[in-house]
Amino acid sequence: MTVTYTAEVATCRGFGCFLTLLLRWRGSIYKLVWPDLAAFLTIYYSLNFTYRYALDEHQKKMFESVSIYCETYSNYIPLSFVLGFYISVIMQRWWDQYTSIPWPDPIAVFVSSHIHGQDERGRLMRRTIMRYVCLCLTMVFSMICPRVKKRFPTLEHFVDAGLMTENERCIVVDLNEKFPRHSKHWLPIVWAASIVTRARKEGRIRDDFAVKTIIDELNKFRGQCGILLNYDSISVPLVYTQVVTLATYSFFITSVIGRQWLDVEDDGRNRRNPIDLYFPVFTTLQFFFYMGWLKVAESLINPFGEDDDDFEINWIVDRNVTVSYLIVDEMHHEHPELIKDQYWEEVFPTELPHTVASQPFKDKVPQPSTANIAVSNVDAEYVNPQGVKVEDGMCDDNQSGIHFVVGRSSSRISMMRPRTMSGGSNTSVNNLGSHSTSLHRIGSVTSVVRRLLSRDSSASAAGTPSAISAMVDGGPPKLSESQSSTSLTGKLPPVGGGSMRIADQVIEEVDEQTTITSMAGKPPEQRPTAQSIFQNAPSQPVAVPKRRANPSQSLPFAYPATSLPPTVAVSPAVSTGGGDLMSVKSAPGLDNSSGLGSGSIGHNNNAGGDANSVISSATSENDNVDEFARLKEERRKDIERIMFARSISAIASSRGPSPTDDDFALLDMTSDSQAFLLPQGKDK
């Protein structure tokens, strides 16, 4: 089990609490490093004695050359970087594996809460579900942990431990024979989900949401078991582990030769240090630290093994089974008696009592970092906002087309006391955030020029009021002043200091042809419609001219004073006896019971004279055609005038003035824009 020392380091006193940990053996660095350190020192002293007592002068010269070479180039091995990065990866992986271990407690709580029934079957369902959950996790542990594998080497051991029945073992064995390539750790979760759905069908689970909650927890549990198997099958890349191992051992092989005591002077440095002659102190410490890093990585790369710092998985198996049965069986729908708590009348305690031992550690109420910062009344005064500087020639609001309106909320002003500010302004800077009149954009110079250039220059110059006033004054033509600017005259408060005040918000211009207005709190506009415009002038039926028709498909009848449906195709016919003839090619819904034939309507009053009337009308066919064409053209023009009037009314309603408010910029539809909208070359 993981060696814990949290209690020893809870309070740091004296020279430090970590010094007491250096005397521990279980899980210590001494226990891991001592075999390698013993081998290193053995090799070191062997070479040392061989150099001093077994070699002749020539051989000593060769050994000294090799030792100096290893000492010079051993620093080229980046051991600190390689080991540091490798250890960080291993430590993160070690903690992630522990957090990936699933715990059955949430599933047990959901099962106990949602699967009702105090009878034997309800109890059997709850206990069986939790037994399957614990069986799934134990099967996973037996595949990744040697300690659990030694405890449950076969499926029969699961049966003997009570986690699996004989029937269930037979099912697993049969599936392993049919599908031997994949593990069957997920099979108990499938069985548990089936029991949950059966409990829902039997009415032991009262809603589908509870079923979904339990199924989701089962799937989450199965997913975490799969993550543990992935950690077991996918390790840190082997090449990285090999690089770290080779770097560490190659460094100390060169160190055991290069750090030898030599009876020479190398570049003025005396290699005949008497301390190294007896024991290499700093070489041993360097080996201890670097090799200790490597041993930590070797110990933590698989925390499910048998090392001192590995997880105690057998304890987790026993704990899961006990807690699961305790929640779903012993504590199912059981709770202590509901009684009033000690602070029922006080609602909540001001402070829980302290003992004599805890009184010295009574904590003070934490304060924020700015609690002791005090601001004087002079420093708390607001400063005047800096004005917006404008260049010469750009101060004319009428030419720029952008008007700034400043307004203050009455409720805000009543709460703020007047303060004297620089520049002669007594408006607080907080008023810039109040609900005042917003900015509105009117037609700018660009839009006016674009409108002027879109028409004929001579006609527009003669028709605009600005051109007329310019010719009267004898000066060059000037752009017309916006009408909305006159409504805002006198609304701006005086501003001192040569600056201009802007409104609460600046609306960025997106389209030069659009007027941005605010309709907040205003009633909806009453826009005219075609029905309101033409309500006193209903359309009259058009007289159908005479035209020769086919006698076999048309019959005479008196033309009624009503308009025909739009689906009826009408061909003019000859009028006889004060009535008109009209051929109907397709009139669905008409009564054909009079025997007049398919597709014909009319009055069957003079059937014998119809043929003579049709024959006599052949002589005036050309005149009737001209009359029909003239009536058709007049009808077309009437329709065009009606459609044009509707478009003009829609444009007028969209550009019409809003409800009267001096704080809004108004855009009127001038006569020039109306003339531009009228069709050219059309007959009125």
Side-chain angles (χ1 to χ4, degrees), residues 49 110 164 179 280 310 344 376 391 396 427 474 499:
F49 289 139
F110 284 123
M164 181 184 293
F179 310 99
D310 288 341
W344 180 266
S376 62
E391 298 178 359
D396 191 1
T427 304
S499 63

Side-chain angles (χ1 to χ4, degrees), residues 221-371:
F221 189 90
R222 184 209 55 81
Q224 289 182 298
C225 291
I227 292 176
L228 292 179
L229 292 176
N230 293 336
Y231 274 116
D232 180 72
S233 59
I234 302 176
S235 302
V236 178
L238 178 63
V239 60
Y240 196 10
T241 304
Q242 290 177 344
V243 167
V244 172
T245 305
L246 289 175
T248 304
Y249 283 99
S250 61
F251 176 80
F252 288 110
I253 289 175
T254 58
S255 296
V256 77
I257 300 175
R259 303 292 176 85
Q260 288 290 334
W261 179 89
L262 301 178
D263 192 11
V264 295
E265 291 185 2
D266 182 18
D267 296 334
R269 185 180 61 179
N270 188 8
R271 298 293 297 271
R272 293 175 294 183
N273 194 317
I275 298 178
D276 290 340
L277 178 62
Y278 299 101
F279 186 79
V281 179
F282 288 97
T283 302
T284 304
L285 291 177
Q286 188 180 30
F287 178 87
F288 190 82
F289 298 147
Y290 284 155
M291 188 58 66
W293 268 10
L294 183 63
K295 292 301 178 179
V296 168
E298 292 177 357
S299 176
L300 300 182
I301 192 170
N302 184 11
F304 298 101
E306 299 178 357
D307 298 324
D308 291 339
D309 275 317
D310 288 341
F311 305 146
E312 189 60 49
I313 305 300
N314 283 322
W315 172 84
I316 295 178
V317 171
D318 297 334
R319 182 259 176 201
N320 288 342
V321 175
T322 303
V323 173
S324 298
Y325 285 157
L326 182 64
I327 294 176
V328 300
D329 193 3
E330 184 67 23
M331 298 179 59
H332 175 63
H333 286 179
E334 294 289 341
H335 59 81
E337 181 184 0
L338 294 176
I339 58 176
K340 295 181 180 180
D341 57 83
Q342 182 179 351
Y343 306 99
W344 180 266
E345 301 297 337
E346 301 177 9
V347 181
F348 59 89
T350 57
E351 186 181 24
L352 296 179
H354 282 274
T355 61
V356 176
S358 66
Q359 182 64 28
F361 306 103
K362 184 178 180 181
D363 296 331
K364 296 181 180 180
V365 178
Q367 297 292 334
S369 59
T370 60

Side-chain angles (χ1 to χ4, degrees), residues 111 114-117 121-122 124-126 129 191-208 211 214:
V111 168
H114 295 298
I115 300 182
H116 303 277
R121 182 167 180 78
L124 178 62
M125 284 185 172
R126 292 189 295 270
I129 290 174
W191 294 340
S194 301
I195 296 176
V196 172
T197 56
R198 181 177 295 274
R200 173 56 178 156
K201 292 180 180 179
E202 295 180 2
R204 298 183 181 275
I205 301 179
R206 297 177 181 176
D207 53 72
D208 295 333
V211 175
I214 299 176

